[in-house]
């Protein structure tokens, strides 16, 4: 299952993308897979809410992350509750056709230099999940929260990093997400069965 960049901000679009991911998982779950591969290698970021909103069935209840500012203050407590993704206790997406939680199964998450920003945030959340392992190469190194400013008569846009991603224990995570299993060989997106990261993930998943 590949989770792409999601550059959406309006709630209707957030819900649309979250349901797209959710329905894709629901369709695949009908085949009763023994394990899962989540591919974040082409996920350069965007809005994390539809990504995690669409993947809520994989997580048990509990806090998964925070944003931590330069003074160590935490905000935006991200969590899962009854399969819903929440921030500060507020459900972030409206899922139309919910399915029961997927019982704990092995999940391999693929990352690489194309995994950035919110894509890295999703990787950090999965990194804390039981029976989950990251494969690939180090991410882009943009695992942070950003804020943008428009100036020069709306002709220019300035984006700055305003906070770091913290794990569920409020510990600041490195900006680069490092896989548990490093795969140095070139990706093969056009032939996924022979992709080195996919092959390594399947080897672990089928143990």
């Amino acid at each position: 299952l590949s989770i792409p960049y999601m550059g959406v901000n309006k709630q209707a679009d957030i819900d649309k993308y979250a349901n797209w991911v959710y329905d894709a998982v629901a369709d695949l779950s009908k085949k009763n897979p023994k394990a899962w591969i989540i591919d974040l290698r082409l996920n350069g970021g965007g809005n994390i809410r539809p990504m995690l909103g669409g993947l809520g069935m994989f997580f048990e209840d509990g806090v998964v992350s925070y944003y931590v500012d330069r003074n160590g203050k935490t905000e935006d407590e991200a969590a899962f509750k009854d399969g819903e993704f929440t921030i500060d206790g507020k459900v972030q997406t409206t899922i139309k056709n919910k399915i029961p939680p997927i019982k704990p199964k092995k999940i391999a998450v693929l990352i690489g230099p194309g995994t950035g920003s919110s894509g890295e945030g999703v990787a950090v959340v999965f990194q804390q999940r039981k029976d989950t392992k990251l494969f690939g190469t180090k991410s882009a190194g943009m695992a942070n929260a950003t804020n943008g400013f428009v100036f020069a008569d709306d002709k220019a846009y300035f984006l700055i990093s305003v906070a770091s991603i913290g794990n569920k224990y409020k510990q600041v995570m490195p900006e680069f997400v490092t896989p548990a299993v490093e795969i140095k060989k070139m990706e093969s997106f056009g032939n996924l069965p022979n992709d080195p990261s996919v092959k390594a993930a399947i080897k672990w998943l089928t143990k």
Side-chain angles (χ1 to χ4, degrees):
L1 178 66
S2 179
I3 308 298
Y5 169 88
M6 295 187 182
V8 293
N9 291 303
K10 294 181 179 179
Q11 189 61 48
D13 293 329
I14 291 169
D15 289 340
K16 177 181 176 180
Y17 276 70
N19 279 278
W20 173 73
V21 174
Y22 199 100
D23 291 344
V25 174
D27 287 342
L28 288 171
S29 69
K30 293 175 183 176
K31 299 178 181 180
N32 195 29
K34 295 181 179 179
W36 293 78
I37 296 177
I38 307 292
D39 195 343
L40 301 174
R41 292 177 295 175
L42 297 177
N43 187 329
N47 195 324
I48 199 170
R49 292 186 289 162
M51 301 178 199
L52 292 178
L55 296 167
M57 71 290 287
F58 288 114
F59 295 93
E60 297 178 350
D61 289 358
V63 175
V64 291
S65 70
Y66 296 86
Y67 284 127
V68 185
D69 69 16
R70 64 180 181 178
N71 298 314
K73 181 182 177 182
T74 59
E75 58 184 12
D76 291 350
E77 179 188 83
F80 289 97
K81 176 67 174 177
D82 298 327
E84 303 271 16
F85 176 60
T86 69
I87 295 179
D88 292 335
K90 183 179 178 181
V91 175
Q92 296 298 302
T93 57
T94 300
I95 301 299
K96 296 178 181 178
N97 301 306
K98 292 190 67 177
I99 63 173
I102 293 177
K103 294 181 179 179
K105 292 182 179 180
K106 280 185 173 182
I107 296 180
V109 178
L110 310 185
I111 65 170
T115 309
S117 191
S118 292
E120 290 168 296
V122 174
V124 167
V125 170
F126 270 106
Q127 205 170 32
Q128 300 173 86
R129 181 188 178 277
K130 295 178 182 178
D131 296 320
T132 302
K133 187 173 286 190
L134 272 58
F135 294 79
T137 55
K138 190 180 291 186
S139 69
M142 300 185 290
N144 50 46
T146 57
N147 202 349
F149 302 90
V150 177
F151 59 99
D153 295 325
D154 292 337
K155 295 178 181 178
Y157 185 75
F158 186 53
L159 188 68
I160 62 172
S161 172
V162 295
S164 300
I165 294 177
N167 64 14
K168 60 184 177 182
Y169 302 112
K170 302 183 180 181
Q171 298 167 332
V172 174
M173 303 298 289
E175 289 200 333
F176 289 92
V177 181
T178 302
V181 180
E182 185 177 11
I183 308 296
K184 296 182 178 180
K185 295 180 180 179
M186 184 76 69
E187 299 103 332
S188 180
F189 292 113
N191 187 8
L192 286 176
N194 286 319
D195 182 274
S197 293
V198 172
K199 290 171 72 174
I202 291 174
K203 184 178 179 180
W204 174 70
L205 291 170
T206 54
K207 280 185 176 179

